[in-house]
Amino acid sequence: MTPTFVRVCALDELEEDTPKRVELEGVPVALVRTEGEVFAVSDICSHANVSLSEGEVEDCQIECWLHGSSFDLRTGKPSGLPATRPVPVYPVKIEGDDVLVSVTQES
């Protein structure tokens, strides 16, 4: 199955290191512009059912504000306890000034 990309926002709507929560096809996504790239990860922490977009971004990681676990924005892998499971990472494309994200699962 080929990923289907959906326009989420304009690139200039994303502030550096400030997560933005969006919902695509019913999937909560945290969008982050950092280090010259845009990343999209699940907005739900794999440890506790809280929004990652309310956390801090530093060194290409997003921190869960509730218990302090951080997740790599490139891989979704947690870098510290209490989280042990990665969060889903979604492909991002930039076309002109548009940010496009795909939440479709590849088989």
Side-chain angles (χ1 to χ4, degrees):
M1 184 174 173
T2 305
T4 304
F5 285 86
V6 178
R7 184 189 183 277
V8 180
C9 64
L11 188 57
D12 61 10
E13 289 178 47
L14 296 175
E15 292 181 47
E16 187 79 10
D17 296 332
T18 303
K20 176 182 179 80
R21 184 184 201 279
V22 295
E23 197 163 297
L24 299 172
E25 299 172 26
V27 178
V29 174
L31 273 181
V32 179
R33 183 178 187 175
T34 188
E35 298 181 9
E37 292 186 67
V38 177
F39 299 94
V41 298
S42 171
D43 191 39
I44 305 300
C45 178
S46 65
H47 168 255
N49 191 20
V50 296
S51 177
L52 289 177
S53 62
E54 295 176 29
E56 302 283 317
V57 172
E58 190 175 335
D59 297 328
C60 215
Q61 306 234 353
I62 189 165
E63 182 183 58
C64 177
W65 60 270
L66 188 60
H67 296 115
S69 286
S70 288
F71 297 88
D72 189 303
L73 290 167
R74 298 166 292 237
T75 65
K77 292 181 180 167
S79 60
L81 296 173
T84 57
R85 290 177 293 127
V87 294
V89 175
Y90 304 107
V92 176
K93 284 197 303 191
I94 309 298
E95 290 183 354
D97 190 42
D98 294 331
V99 177
L100 296 94
V101 176
S102 173
V103 293
T104 55
Q105 298 297 317
E106 294 186 57
S107 51

